[in-house]
Amino acid sequence: MQDLNDMLFFAEVVERGGFAAAGRALGVPKSRLSRRVSELEAQLGVRLLQRTTRRLSLTGVGEAYLRHCQAVRESAQAALDAVAQVQTEPRGSLRVTCPVTLAQTVLAELMPAFLQRYPQVRVELQVSNRVVNLVEEGVDVALRVRASLEESGSMVVKRLDVACQVLVASPELLIRQGTPATLEDLARMDSIAMSAPDGKAVWQLSGPHGAQQQVQHSPRYVADDLLTLKFAALAGTGICWLPDYMCHDEIRDRRLVRVLPDWAPTPGIVHAVFPSRRGLAPAVRHFLDFLGESMPGRSSVATRPQQGA
């Protein structure tokens, strides 16, 4: 079987531009490297390098072989990293950012369990709807909810869950104004929303068989905070859309009622973004694994049919 060390030696010689530089980096004599690469060529039966007194250059087959050598080296390093991660107990500081509503309704319940599982980890959680530059601000993981993952740029993405929105109203509001049977019925109801330029708000909705519909309304109450809107919905101020993970308890207890369940805005993808998979600190890796285990399905309760609904 081929000696994998020879593949490493060959890759280092090429990438560092010569035997001397590769020897200094590897701590291996130049003469030994030259001999090992020559033996590798003899074993393969092809010439990988063109040698002159001034420089080395790759042959055509050498270029192809180099790519495989680099892949083998990266796989070997990944294997070592995996073992090191298992052997190293997570410790140290972990900086996380999370949108306000997701932090209040999902992450707040999960973090104590994570900290109990890994007592050597210290977490600094920034609860904010501001878009954070992870590299510039020294953040390890950002949790986000987006309709698409295309805005993540060069960041690595780990999908965690899907957050649907549900149209809810208090029983008192439905007694007062009636339960809507169609989208057109919404226009006569009091509504609340996060924004309403010029007093108007628009809901972009998807329905049965891929139908698309816009609903324009004039909300009585506008607040750019979902928790504030939930309190207003509970009080009967108006009908509104809320993330399902935010109101499943209220729906279960019949303090809020789902209406027009066949229609909904585009679901949001709950995901974590982080700068790189390679070299992740154990605390970061275990936190991502913990979220992957704990978060899926937490937003599905509100979408299940309720008894007596």
Side-chain angles (χ1 to χ4, degrees), residues 16-50:
R16 297 184 183 277
F19 291 99
R24 288 191 296 269
L26 295 171
V28 176
K30 172 184 173 182
S31 58
R32 182 184 173 197
L33 282 181
S34 179
R35 185 179 71 254
R36 293 291 292 268
V37 171
S38 295
E39 291 173 354
L40 176 63
E41 290 177 316
Q43 181 182 2
L44 295 173
V46 295
R47 182 169 293 278
L48 302 174
L49 294 171
Q50 296 288 0

Side-chain angles (χ1 to χ4, degrees), residues 243-275:
D244 51 7
Y245 60 77
M246 188 177 182
C247 56
H248 58 77
D249 289 344
E250 290 79 6
I251 292 176
R252 181 195 60 210
D253 299 338
R254 301 289 295 175
R255 289 177 288 154
L256 289 174
V257 178
R258 281 197 67 184
V259 295
L260 298 177
D262 291 335
W263 292 90
T266 302
I269 304 170
V270 184
H271 59 285
V273 297
F274 49 100

Side-chain angles (χ1 to χ4, degrees), residues 279-298:
L280 281 179
V284 176
R285 186 178 298 277
H286 282 77
F287 179 65
L288 292 169
D289 290 343
F290 173 81
L291 293 179
E293 298 169 3
S294 306
M295 193 170 286
R298 296 186 67 84

Side-chain angles (χ1 to χ4, degrees), residues 86-195:
V86 172
Q87 292 176 334
T88 304
E89 181 183 1
R91 64 180 67 246
S93 296
L94 174 64
R95 298 192 70 200
V96 181
T97 68
C98 183
V100 174
T101 305
L102 188 65
Q104 292 172 340
T105 56
V106 175
L107 202 62
E109 298 180 6
L110 296 179
M111 288 310 301
F114 173 76
L115 292 169
Q116 184 177 15
R117 184 182 299 183
Y118 302 109
Q120 301 300 318
V121 176
R122 173 183 176 273
V123 174
E124 179 183 333
L125 177 63
Q126 301 176 10
V127 180
S128 172
N129 292 329
R130 179 176 64 89
V131 177
V132 172
N133 185 307
L134 279 70
V135 176
E136 291 182 1
E137 301 184 40
V139 173
D140 298 302
V141 179
L143 301 181
R144 295 174 180 169
V145 184
R146 299 281 192 276
S148 168
L149 301 180
E150 296 177 356
E151 301 175 10
S152 300
S154 61
M155 295 289 104
V156 182
V157 176
K158 181 181 179 69
R159 294 174 64 114
L160 299 171
D161 205 355
V162 174
C164 299
Q165 293 193 61
V166 290
L167 185 62
V168 294
S170 70
E172 292 76 15
L173 178 68
L174 298 180
I175 292 172
R176 187 171 75 244
Q177 297 189 331
T179 299
T182 66
L183 294 180
E184 290 72 20
D185 293 339
L186 297 179
R188 62 178 173 76
M189 299 189 67
D190 292 336
S191 62
I192 56 182
M194 292 193 71
S195 65

